[in-house]
Amino acid sequence: MAMHTPLVIVKLPAWRRRLLLVLVLLGFAALLGRGVYLQSFHKRFLQEKGDARYSRTLVLPAQRGKITDRYGELLAISSPVESVWANPSDVKISASQTKKLAELLGFKKETIDKKLANNTREFVYLKRRVSPELAAEIMQLGIAGVYLQREYKRYYPAGEVTAHLVGFTDIDDKGQEGFELAMNSALSGKNGSRKVIKDRAGRIIEDLEAVKVPQDGADITLSIDRRIQYLAHRELTKAVEKFQANAGAAIVLDAKTGEVLAMVNVPTYNPNNPVNIQGKTRNRAITDIFEPGSTMKTVTAAAALEAGKYTPDTLIQTAPGYMSIGPATIHDAHPHGLMTVSEVIQKSSNVGAAKMALSLEPQYLWGVFNLIGFGSKTRIGFPGEVSGRLRDYKTWRPIEQATMSYGHGISVTLLQMARAYTVFANDGELKPVSLLKLKDAPVGTQVFSAKTANEVKSMLELVVLPGGTALKAQVLGYRVAGKTGTTHKLGDHGYEKNKYVGSFVGMAPASNPRLIMAVMIDDPSSGEYYGGTVAAPVFSAVMADALRMLSVPQDAPNNNVVIPNDVEDVKESI
């Protein structure tokens, strides 16, 4: 018979039971205190740690606004692309996956290893802006911790033709040049966000907050006519190449509204691939200044007529072809003798222009120059615009007043010069200029009377006819009014020897101007440099096609004048 050991119950003394109870209660109190402490004082810290492991705030990128020409033709648009990124601490990748990933991204295997080596980082780009097709191939590899992020890549359909106006964006879609920079805030919009919880495989488990919907950027409509922009770019490029020039710029304005229909510069660059662009991004038509030369004589003549001291038929003695003012001497290219004011403009006499200027009060002449916009920015709203240089009349000496009459000692931008000629196309009213499409024609500033403006416009018609300096500016079927300019190029230490700037500013049809165009050719080195030779043909070619595109009626249908290449213009004075 089996023997059983009796159960012995040990009865603890009362003081031991109380001690054990106190210890248990103290343990619970410590746990409770620790919980209260963590919840009260470390709550945010712990939440952040938890969020860092499982919650993610996804950026929902806003689509950048489009840039179009005045007729809705695309000049800049954003296309969706994917960027490949990884959380190194979550990545689980085999050697074969690493090799395949490197091949798809166009990297060496070591590059991938280096990007994923730092486990303390939670975000690293593997490659930005890959095509949707390539992104799909990468995701098919099934690598844990590798994700896609939707972004947008900017595309410029017109390429180098509109590069200086539209500009470009960087890899983060921020504007760097042109209107992309000037209107970056409006174009960018506002990104949205989505806060979610993800598991270790990167799958979204749930949304933590309501989705903040992205606000796409605003679309911008420029005043540019893409067709005329192309014409101007084509003809300017030809001229710069033909005359072996350093650079060139051209502007076409709507004569009635002041809207810029074309603004081109050579050399240019490709905004779709902006590499090796040093010195090519400058919009010279707005940022570079030059001495306008004889294109300034038009304003001087208008000031003289407006003052009541001259009429188009007033005679001015320019013999013997030069004029001394103190120790300095002003020369004409050819001696002309007695000339009317109209002939001074037609044949571009420095002596005649100087005599008109010296007969006027300095303050009055400065007032005309200032009112017409010289020495001040046009406020067109484009980055980098400069104001040019117009010195205070109180500092003028007689020789300076004389030389400014024919565009020396004063510096302007090509845009300022084009704008100045709006007074001769609008009965003396100076139009503001705009690179954005306008709904209505703006009210301008009255600078001259309609009588003065139209008299000067008639003088400008003589310039493109036989006996003038711009025969090559003629346009078949249309009357043209314009003026040539040729100056020595101004350098850091004065005028540069054998370096010139040739220019032309004109309008058509002269009977009722629809377009104004200004052309500047910088430092032609082919041996030909007069404005009537290097710049006027650009005007003629662009204006002929542009007027037909816009269906502008001819005002000289019987004008079949065609200037052969061997016909020489009258050489203007420099």
Side-chain angles (χ1 to χ4, degrees):
M1 186 172 177
M3 297 293 292
H4 294 281
T5 303
L7 181 63
V8 179
I9 298 176
V10 179
K11 188 175 182 180
L12 294 175
W15 67 270
R16 288 189 177 183
R17 292 198 301 272
R18 286 194 291 271
L19 176 62
L20 183 60
L21 178 62
V22 169
L23 291 175
V24 171
L25 291 175
L26 286 174
F28 276 116
L31 290 173
L32 180 62
R34 180 63 175 170
V36 171
Y37 172 75
L38 292 175
Q39 287 293 319
S40 300
F41 299 100
H42 279 215
K43 182 179 180 181
R44 180 175 295 180
F45 172 78
L46 293 172
Q47 284 179 337
E48 289 175 355
K49 284 296 182 182
D51 289 347
R53 284 181 173 274
Y54 301 110
S55 72
R56 295 285 185 272
T57 299
L58 306 180
V59 175
L60 305 178
Q63 185 164 2
R64 194 171 178 87
K66 297 187 292 291
I67 301 178
T68 67
D69 83 342
R70 65 188 301 105
Y71 298 116
E73 292 291 326
L74 289 172
L75 302 179
I77 188 171
S78 295
S79 299
V81 291
E82 302 287 352
S83 288
V84 184
W85 68 279
N87 183 341
S89 61
D90 290 344
V91 170
K92 292 180 175 60
I93 186 169
S94 66
S96 62
Q97 287 176 320
T98 303
K99 182 180 178 182
K100 184 61 177 176
L101 180 61
E103 289 175 358
L104 290 174
L105 295 178
F107 294 151
K108 293 181 179 179
K109 179 178 177 296
E110 292 75 15
T111 303
I112 299 295
D113 290 336
K114 185 177 179 180
K115 285 178 176 287
L116 299 177
N118 189 352
N119 288 331
T120 61
R121 297 183 64 182
E122 296 182 347
F123 185 98
V124 60
Y125 278 117
L126 298 182
K127 192 166 186 178
R128 304 282 297 274
R129 295 182 175 181
V130 302
S131 67
E133 295 77 17
L134 179 57
E137 285 189 66
I138 292 170
M139 295 313 292
Q140 285 175 2
L141 296 177
I143 304 171
V146 173
Y147 312 103
L148 297 180
Q149 177 174 296
R150 171 60 59 89
E151 292 187 310
Y152 291 93
K153 183 178 180 180
R154 208 65 163 158
Y155 176 61
Y156 304 97
E160 62 183 14
V161 175
T162 57
H164 292 99
L165 281 174
V166 177
F168 62 93
T169 59
D170 63 11
I171 196 167
D172 293 315
D173 223 18
K174 291 184 173 60
Q176 300 299 297
E177 294 286 347
F179 269 100
E180 293 280 32
L181 172 61
M183 305 197 75
N184 184 65
S185 179
L187 287 165
S188 295
K190 293 182 179 179
N191 289 337
S193 63
R194 180 187 179 191
K195 193 170 184 180
V196 299
I197 291 179
K198 287 187 174 184
D199 63 13
R200 294 286 292 179
R203 296 185 295 260
I204 295 176
I205 304 302
E206 66 173 305
D207 287 297
L208 292 178
E209 295 177 355
V211 174
K212 292 182 179 178
V213 179
Q215 298 176 20
D216 290 341
D219 296 336
I220 293 175
T221 302
L222 300 186
S223 60
I224 298 300
D225 184 327
R226 184 172 166 176
R227 302 167 302 169
I228 299 177
Q229 179 82 4
Y230 170 77
L231 289 174
H233 176 266
R234 182 189 69 189
E235 297 303 324
L236 184 67
T237 300
K238 287 181 183 178
V240 169
E241 292 176 353
K242 178 180 179 179
F243 298 109
Q244 301 169 34
N246 178 58
I251 295 172
V252 180
L253 297 181
D254 184 314
K256 302 304 181 186
T257 66
E259 292 171 292
V260 178
L261 300 181
M263 181 181 287
V264 296
N265 296 267
V266 175
T268 183
Y269 65 97
N270 182 3
N272 293 301
N273 185 29
V275 295
N276 299 321
I277 58 174
Q278 186 68 29
K280 295 180 181 179
T281 61
R282 227 167 54 238
N283 190 340
R284 298 170 186 270
I286 288 177
T287 65
D288 287 15
I289 57 174
F290 65 102
E291 292 193 339
S294 295
T295 55
M296 193 73 177
K297 290 172 183 170
T298 313
V299 181
T300 301
L305 265 59
E306 189 75 5
K309 292 191 173 186
Y310 296 85
T311 69
D313 298 320
T314 300
L315 294 173
I316 300 175
Q317 181 58 262
T318 65
Y322 59 86
M323 173 184 176
S324 295
I325 302 175
T329 302
I330 293 172
H331 293 273
D332 278 341
H334 307 283
H336 297 293
L338 202 61
M339 306 172 73
T340 64
V341 172
S342 294
E343 290 172 328
V344 167
I345 298 301
Q346 180 190 25
K347 300 184 182 300
S348 201
S349 167
N350 287 348
V351 174
K355 285 191 172 183
M356 282 191 286
L358 290 171
S359 71
L360 304 173
E361 290 295 324
Q363 184 174 359
Y364 168 75
L365 188 59
W366 178 90
V368 170
F369 290 168
N370 181 64
L371 190 59
I372 212 167
F374 299 133
S376 302
K377 294 180 181 180
T378 65
R379 295 183 177 86
I380 200 168
F382 196 87
E385 183 185 13
V386 295
S387 60
R389 182 170 178 262
L390 173 63
R391 287 177 297 166
D392 193 294
Y393 68 91
K394 295 175 184 177
T395 68
W396 290 3
R397 294 176 298 165
I399 184 60
E400 292 165 336
Q401 182 169 340
T403 58
M404 273 190 279
S405 71
Y406 54 86
H408 287 224
I410 180 173
S411 296
V412 302
T413 65
L414 192 65
L415 180 62
Q416 287 176 326
M417 211 67 225
R419 183 193 181 206
Y421 272 57
T422 63
V423 300
F424 306 117
N426 293 285
D427 295 330
E429 182 183 338
L430 180 73
K431 291 290 185 180
V433 286
S434 175
L435 276 166
L436 299 177
K437 185 179 179 181
L438 303 176
K439 292 183 179 179
D440 302 299
V443 177
T445 302
Q446 199 70 33
V447 178
F448 303 120
S449 66
K451 179 175 181 293
T452 295
N454 290 321
E455 286 175 342
V456 173
K457 186 173 65 174
S458 296
M459 297 179 196
L460 294 176
E461 287 194 70
L462 298 175
V463 175
V464 303
L465 297 177
T469 61
L471 298 182
K472 291 174 180 153
Q474 294 183 47
V475 178
L476 188 65
Y478 295 93
R479 289 162 52 190
V480 171
K483 185 72 187 76
T484 55
T486 309
T487 60
H488 284 282
K489 189 172 180 179
L490 192 61
D492 295 333
H493 305 290
Y495 293 108
E496 298 185 36
K497 187 177 181 181
N498 298 324
K499 289 183 179 290
Y500 301 89
V501 175
S503 61
F504 182 83
V505 187
M507 63 195 74
S511 60
N512 184 21
R514 177 71 173 83
L515 300 177
I516 296 171
M517 184 173 186
V519 183
M520 182 271 290
I521 305 296
D522 177 22
D523 190 20
S525 58
S526 65
E528 297 179 284
Y529 50 81
Y530 283 100
T533 302
V534 300
V538 178
F539 170 92
S540 175
V542 174
M543 198 63 69
D545 286 344
L547 291 172
R548 281 192 286 272
M549 280 181 181
L550 298 175
S551 301
V552 177
Q554 294 184 347
D555 61 348
N558 298 320
N559 174 16
N560 294 317
V561 177
V562 178
I563 304 301
N565 290 330
D566 59 353
V567 173
E568 290 292 328
D569 299 312
V570 173
K571 299 305 180 187
E572 65 187 318
S573 305
I574 299 177

